[in-house]
Amino acid sequence: MTLHRPMTPLTKDDMRADIAQVLDVAPETIADGDSLLDHGLDSLRAMDLVTRWEARVPHLDYIDFFEVETLDEWWAVVERTRRA
């Protein structure tokens, strides 16, 4: 028998860790206001991240993430989506 546990809410630290993992850098190297593009995040990896996060925050829109480029701004997208 498999137990299904509820997903924990997504946090900004989770996002930072996930981004760092796909970029193969330490999470502490990604500051809240840094351009994720400058860190080397490309659209393919970003789409994979958004898809992963959507399991924890339904209705995230990939396009919203590409209108901004910092972790703070990405976190604001998550918070807006949660409130909607």
Side-chain angles (χ1 to χ4, degrees), residues 1 9 13-14 19-20 22-23 30 40-41 43 55 57 59 63 66:
M1 173 194 270
D13 285 338
D14 293 336
I19 293 165
V22 301
L23 294 176
I30 301 172
L41 188 66
S43 59
V57 183
H59 311 296
I63 298 301
F66 281 89

Side-chain angles (χ1 to χ4, degrees), residues 7-74:
M7 289 265 184
T8 58
L10 183 66
T11 67
K12 188 195 283 189
D13 285 338
D14 293 336
M15 291 176 70
R16 184 187 325 275
D18 290 345
I19 293 165
Q21 179 184 23
V22 301
L23 294 176
D24 197 26
V25 299
E28 57 272 8
T29 65
I30 301 172
D32 291 347
D34 287 355
S35 167
L36 298 174
L37 301 174
D38 289 348
H39 277 282
L41 188 66
D42 59 45
S43 59
L44 207 52
R45 290 187 283 186
M47 188 164 36
D48 287 343
L49 287 166
V50 173
T51 300
R52 181 186 317 180
W53 298 332
E54 191 173 23
R56 295 166 73 183
V57 183
H59 311 296
L60 288 176
D61 188 344
Y62 171 78
I63 298 301
D64 292 338
F65 289 86
F66 281 89
E67 294 176 351
V68 295
E69 63 181 73
T70 69
L71 179 58
D72 270 345
E73 292 167 324
W74 279 29

